[in-house]
């Protein structure tokens, strides 16, 4: 197997592990806000990323090439709001999609059909990953709008002095 491609696949295995790490940090931030439903969604995302890591790990072993772990960077651990968390997650997924597409291009240049076949699962998965995060962002924005409407309604309350009984 081409050495540069092995390097790229190892790099992606490590990036998937980093993805699980950053999502765990996001889950922890959401949990600290007592947003346990949001935190649960992110916990599932952590598990998905570990399963992606394992897919690369197993593929590299199946191809009988070297599996090399790298240091995992410290993830961000504070955000301005739950919306900022999910916007960051979408940005992150777009980076993953670009990396997968680059891997597909690299494998195509090398006519490595086995790797191309392996990567097809990730091509489809990335469409789903981005759509899932976009859906949460949309839902947070809708809730934000209802809060705005409720805030406007509550803002109309005025003090009416009690009528004095004669
Ligand atoms: Fe494994 Fe969310 O990309």
């Amino acid at each position: 197997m081409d050495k540069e491609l092995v390097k790229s696949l190892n790099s992606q295995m490590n990036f998937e592990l980093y993805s699980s790490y950053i999502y765990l940090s996001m889950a922890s931030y959401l949990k600290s806000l007592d947003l346990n439903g949001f935190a649960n969604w992110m916990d599932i995302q952590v598990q998905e990323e570990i399963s992606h890591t394992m897919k690369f790990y197993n593929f590299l072993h199946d191809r009988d090439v070297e599996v090399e772990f790298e240091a995992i960077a410290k993830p961000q651990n504070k955000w301005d709001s739950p919306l900022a968390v999910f916007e960051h997650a979408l940005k992150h997924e777009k980076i993953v999609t670009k990396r997968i597409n680059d891997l597909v291009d690299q494998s195509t240049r090398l006519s490595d059909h086995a790797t191309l076949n392996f990567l097809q699962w990730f091509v489809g998965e990335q469409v789903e990953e981005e759509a899932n995060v976009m859906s949460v962002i949309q839902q947070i924005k809708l809730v934000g709008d209802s809060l705005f409407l409720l805030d406007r309604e509550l803002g109309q309350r005025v003090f009416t002095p009690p009528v004095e009984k004669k």
Side-chain angles (χ1 to χ4, degrees):
M1 204 175 161
D2 179 83
K3 276 195 171 57
E4 285 305 309
L5 183 57
V6 171
K7 233 161 106 177
S8 303
L9 290 168
N10 267 294
S11 165
Q12 188 58 28
M13 177 188 71
N14 282 281
F15 199 76
E16 298 287 351
L17 208 46
Y18 171 67
S19 302
S20 74
Y21 205 27
I22 195 160
Y23 289 145
L24 185 57
S25 181
M26 289 178 179
S28 176
Y29 166 77
L30 294 163
K31 206 171 164 61
S32 73
L33 298 179
D34 282 334
L35 292 171
N36 292 324
F38 283 97
N40 174 65
W41 192 98
M42 226 21 119
D43 282 343
I44 303 295
Q45 196 63 24
V46 172
Q47 290 174 52
E48 288 215 352
E49 298 306 344
I50 292 172
S51 80
H52 297 169
T53 305
M54 292 309 292
K55 274 185 182 283
F56 279 95
Y57 170 88
N58 286 324
F59 181 71
L60 288 164
H61 274 291
D62 286 349
R63 298 293 302 272
D64 200 22
V65 293
E66 192 179 0
V67 172
E68 203 176 347
F69 294 103
E70 295 162 4
I72 299 175
K74 180 180 176 176
Q76 183 176 331
N77 55 25
K78 277 192 175 59
W79 288 265
D80 290 338
S81 63
L83 179 59
V85 169
F86 283 88
E87 283 176 337
H88 186 171
L90 181 58
K91 202 167 133 198
H92 184 81
E93 284 306 324
K94 284 179 188 282
I95 293 171
V96 177
T97 301
K98 162 102 178 53
R99 293 179 66 106
I100 296 293
N101 289 341
D102 287 349
L103 276 171
V104 170
D105 290 343
Q106 193 178 357
S107 312
T108 304
R109 283 194 298 273
L110 293 162
S111 300
D112 187 329
H113 298 287
T115 303
L116 275 171
N117 183 56
F118 165 73
L119 290 171
Q120 283 315 300
W121 184 88
F122 284 93
V123 171
E125 176 70 3
Q126 279 315 115
V127 174
E128 208 180 292
E129 291 273 84
E130 288 190 26
N132 287 343
V133 183
M134 279 191 282
S135 162
V136 178
I137 290 174
Q138 196 53 34
Q139 289 175 66
I140 294 175
K141 285 184 173 169
L142 284 173
V143 171
D145 284 349
S146 356
L147 275 182
F148 171 73
L149 290 173
L150 181 61
D151 185 62
R152 202 163 61 176
E153 190 186 317
L154 295 179
Q156 285 167 358
R157 187 181 184 200
V158 289
F159 178 65
T160 313
V163 180
E164 291 287 331
K165 281 188 184 152
K166 289 182 182 167

